[in-house]
Amino acid sequence: MDKRQVIHAYRSGIISIHECAQILGLDSRQLPNLMNQMVFKTELDTSKRFVNS
């Protein structure tokens, strides 16, 4: 399963943080860092699109 889908399910309240961590094979304390990395990467990808347009 795609990490983004698992995190989306967690953010939507479908699964708990512990279930999310278990699916991803992480400790639940690692999730906030992973989510911040994903948000940062998404913001970089978005800004690149505007610069290249």
Side-chain angles (χ1 to χ4, degrees):
M1 183 177 267
D2 186 20
K3 288 180 184 179
R4 291 172 293 192
Q5 291 177 328
V6 175
I7 292 172
H8 177 72
Y10 163 68
R11 287 183 173 163
S12 299
I14 298 169
I15 61 175
S16 71
I17 192 166
H18 299 292
E19 293 169 320
C20 182
Q22 186 176 24
I23 293 167
L24 297 175
L26 300 172
D27 185 84
S28 58
R29 293 172 289 182
Q30 294 174 300
L31 282 178
N33 186 35
L34 177 67
M35 287 189 260
N36 288 337
Q37 289 175 355
M38 292 181 73
V39 168
F40 182 71
K41 183 181 181 318
T42 302
E43 288 172 356
L44 282 176
D45 291 345
T46 302
S47 66
K48 284 180 186 176
R49 275 189 247 143
F50 289 117
V51 171
N52 292 332
S53 296

